Every structure is written in C-alpha cells, then in structure tokens.
Amino acid sequence: MRILIQLRPSPDLVAAVVDPGQSASTADVADGLPGVELDPAFIPVAVPRPVPSAGGDPLSLNQPLDYSLAAEDASVLVRGTISDDELAARITLLPALRPDVVGIFADPVIESTPACGGDPPVGDWHDVERLLNVPGLHAQGLDGTGVAVAVLDTGINAAHTARHLGRGVTLDAERCWSPSGVPGRPGEFEVDHGTMCAFDTLIAAPQATLIDIPVLLSTRPGGSALDGLLSDAVAAFAHLRNVLDAQPAGTRALVVNNSWGSFSPEWDFPVGHPGNYSDNAAHPFNLMVAALDKAGADVLFAAGNCGRECADGRCAYSSRPIVGANSHPKALSVGGVDVNGERVGYSSQGPGRLTARKPDVCAYTHFSGSKAFGADQPDTGTSAAAPVAAGLVAAVRTRWPATKLSPAQLRALLRRTAEDRSEVGFDYDYGYGTVDPAGLMAALQRRAKSVP
C-alpha cells in the first residue's frame, strides 16, 4: 500500500523543506524507515501546524485557525510503500522505532471525474456565457484580469483552448508545477480533461492567468493516463502556498480548481483509522486545503459523479460519495446542472463526509464547449461544473481580492445568492442552488456601499 509518512525531524531540516530556496531530499529527512520502501523521487513537503486562533481543538474545522510553518511547528511528509501483508504490523511498529514519526496516512489514487453515459450535449458554451451573465460581469470590470487560476488536472493545451475560445490565453509558465517524472512543457500537454477544465474556467474569466499543474499525469506503476496520487496534490498545494505568498497582499487572488477525487475506499485506510483520508480532517492533504484557504486562496472541488441515477462505474462508496477534500468545509464543492437548470443524474448528492452540507452549489455542465474529447462530445461531469464556477470566482476576484473579501465570505455569498432549485434552502441534490451571477453582483455592490 502506498502511504504518506509524517515526520518531525530537526528544526533545521524542517526549515530547509519550508524554504523554497533550499532543497532537502527524502534521504535527508527520513534516512530509512524499517519495512518502508521510500520514494526518492518525491520531494519532501512541509505541512503547517493548525493553531486555534483563540484556543480550542486544533483539528476542529469549525473554528478560526492559523497555520504555522515555523520550524518548531511544521512537520514533513515523505512518500513510500509498505507490503500489504506487513501493513498492520509496520504501522504499529514505526512510531515505536522512530520517535520522529508523527503519523502514517493513506495516499489514495485520485482520478478525473468524466461523466457516465453517452448523452449528447445540452446547449453550448455560449448558453453558459449567457447564464453566467458574462457581459454584465465584464461591464463591471470583472473579467479575471490579474487573477491566477490553478488547474490541477491532466495538463493544459493552451493552443487548443485559445482556438476554440476564439481569443488568446494567458499562461504563466514560471508559476506552473509538475510532479516528479512528468514530461512536457506547461500549456503544451495533450488535449484532454485538463484542457476542458481550462476552457470552462475562461468562459467567465477570459483574462485570468492559468497555472498548469498536471497532477493526474501519473508515473506510478500500473497507473492509467488519467490518475495520480494524493501525495502529488499535497506537493502541488505546497507549491501554490508559495505562489500565493509571493503575491502582493493588497491584490492577492488565487483560484484553485480540482476536478478530481477519490472514488474507492480500496486505496484508503478504514474510516476511524488515524491514517484515513475520506473522513479524516487531520489527514495532511485536508490540512493543506484549510491552510491554503486561510492564506487567501479560493479552493474548488468537483462534487463527483456518483449520483444515484447515473453513477460512474468506479464509484465504490456505498453511501456518502463526496469524500475527503471534495467535502471540505473550506472548499466550494460544486455539483452539476445542464443549461436548462436540471440536475444531471451523475452529480453526486450529499451528505458529505467531512461536512454534511455538500455540495455547496451547482454550476453548468454537459454542454458543447472545449471539444477536448471530440467535435460532438460535451464538456461533462462535475469536472466541467467546477471550473465554470471557478471562472465566476476568478471574475469576482478581479476587483475583490482576498484582503477585501475572504474566501469564506465569498463562499457564503455564493451560497446565499444561489438560485434555489428544489427545497427551500439547502438540499443534498443542489446544495444551496445554482450559481446566480446577477444576485452575486448585487450582493457585492451592497457590500461595497456598506464597507468603507
């Protein structure tokens, strides 16, 4: 089984891992662990320590927290494998043999979320443009200018995206990042799922700057072309924390789209095990999500395609399929509706596992757009809905950086202004409803008048 090992080495080693100008290898940090085959290609990642702002439980997700990367607070993750037949024994033994071992966590496979079935597209991306009130957004200067949008996926083909949008695409190669062993140049990957996500993000925010992070181009043995490991997403979030910290505080804006998730408990520790990912707020990746949110990033996840009416064949959770970070209270979990406002049958329903009220909102999917999968194939799944919502968030960030409107405040506005589609208020099919840009803009205008 693939695992993440959380260590607390000497403060000077922690400082070397935290500092982007230094380098520390797995051998420097771990120096061998009994029964574990360490992955030397994985660069150690610093995990911030959650510190309650005003006392209380540091693992609670329902109170204000700070996240410290100070050398005396942070821990370090390395990646490795343990033989399945020795798993239980080694997990028990390691902390006893090595006092610097803080914890051992699942490193589950993460996969993109294309839709099931072969239904033709419903409408096209110009319908989505109309429904998002893109002309109205742009009339208020909300077009994504100066806003970075990170697409964690299979990589972006910028030329294809520009050709089908009919306008130029901005990609910042200096801020892009790839897992170890992934070949290719930013913005020049094969046309696939990540290109669809990039296209759909730019519908509402055509002037946004893309950051290409191909976490789903796995090099793991036996991996498919469209999956990766959660450890690579941990490393990607650490990179994005540096990207965010390098931005001027007054204009800080980073939108992070994640159209992927974990489909099966096969790759995870059981619920209740301290190394579990699906239901465990203390898993390092779930901590990284909370820390990036606190630093000022908007983190969005697709709700997944395990809806009761048309579940993806990989869906292996018997209930509550919105798992791990896709159900994180500090992330916006996005379900899917078509351009007629009808929920698509594959869109996962709540309750979520880390927090029950998921999905948060729905956005548009199953329309003709990027043509990433062929001329007649739709942009589909909650994989398309999430970047559509991410584009709306990026548009807002043009004039509302995190210092003026925190990620939590923007999530609250998106939920409060959503167009109710079912029961009054929240429900597990639509969340709070479908994103409503007109209502959102009106709420922002009211806020602008009330805040000096």
Side-chain angles (χ1 to χ4, degrees), residues 216-446:
L216 297 185
L217 293 184
S218 175
T219 56
R220 69 183 183 89
S224 77
L226 293 179
D227 68 18
L229 292 165
L230 192 63
S231 48
D232 289 331
V234 170
F237 269 56
H239 167 78
L240 290 173
R241 175 64 182 266
N242 291 331
V243 168
L244 193 64
D245 288 347
Q247 294 179 350
T251 56
R252 185 165 292 174
L254 173 65
V255 182
V256 185
N257 186 75
N258 304 275
S259 290
W260 50 266
S262 177
F263 282 81
S264 174
E266 173 189 356
W267 302 99
D268 202 351
F269 287 114
V271 175
H273 187 287
N276 168 264
Y277 164 65
S278 65
D279 294 61
N280 182 9
H283 189 283
F285 184 65
N286 293 328
L287 291 179
M288 298 289 276
V289 170
L292 198 60
D293 163 83
K294 179 67 174 180
D298 299 289
V299 181
L300 293 88
F301 275 88
N305 296 335
C306 297
R308 286 188 295 271
E309 297 89 341
C310 179
D312 187 288
R314 297 166 298 172
C315 298
Y317 284 95
S318 58
S319 64
R320 298 169 61 212
I322 309 177
V323 310
N326 301 64
S327 65
H328 203 294
K330 304 297 185 183
L332 192 76
S333 180
V334 184
V337 295
D338 64 23
V339 298
N340 296 318
E342 298 298 322
R343 179 184 156 272
V344 290
Y346 48 73
S347 182
S348 292
Q349 291 123 322
R353 288 180 175 251
L354 291 187
T355 192
R357 289 201 164 200
K358 296 292 175 178
D360 291 280
V361 294
C362 285
Y364 302 104
T365 185
H366 219 86
F367 54 86
S368 178
S370 69
K371 304 189 186 301
F373 307 113
D376 300 323
Q377 297 302 309
D379 288 7
T380 188
T382 56
S383 280
V388 166
L392 176 60
V393 170
V396 169
R397 287 296 180 207
T398 315
R399 292 196 168 181
W400 291 87
T403 48
K404 292 178 65 176
L405 185 72
S406 73
Q409 289 170 328
L410 180 49
R411 286 195 303 275
L413 283 180
L414 285 163
R415 291 191 292 254
R416 191 168 74 237
T417 59
E419 181 185 353
D420 215 341
R421 300 297 306 174
S422 183
E423 302 171 7
V424 176
F426 177 86
D427 65 79
Y428 290 132
D429 285 343
Y430 294 90
Y432 287 89
T434 303
V435 291
D436 179 4
L440 179 60
M441 284 191 289
L444 289 171
Q445 289 170 350
R446 289 193 296 271

Side-chain angles (χ1 to χ4, degrees), residues 1-7 33-34 36 77-78 80-82 87-96 98 101-107 268-269 273-277 280 282-284:
M1 181 177 184
R2 288 185 176 270
I3 56 172
L4 285 164
I5 305 105
Q6 186 178 15
L7 302 163
L33 294 169
V36 179
L77 288 183
V78 295
T81 57
I82 294 180
L87 186 61
R90 291 296 178 188
I91 288 173
T92 303
L93 186 60
L94 268 174
R98 289 283 298 262
V101 174
V102 178
I104 299 170
F105 296 89
D107 184 14
D268 202 351
F269 287 114
H273 187 287
N276 168 264
Y277 164 65
N280 182 9
H283 189 283

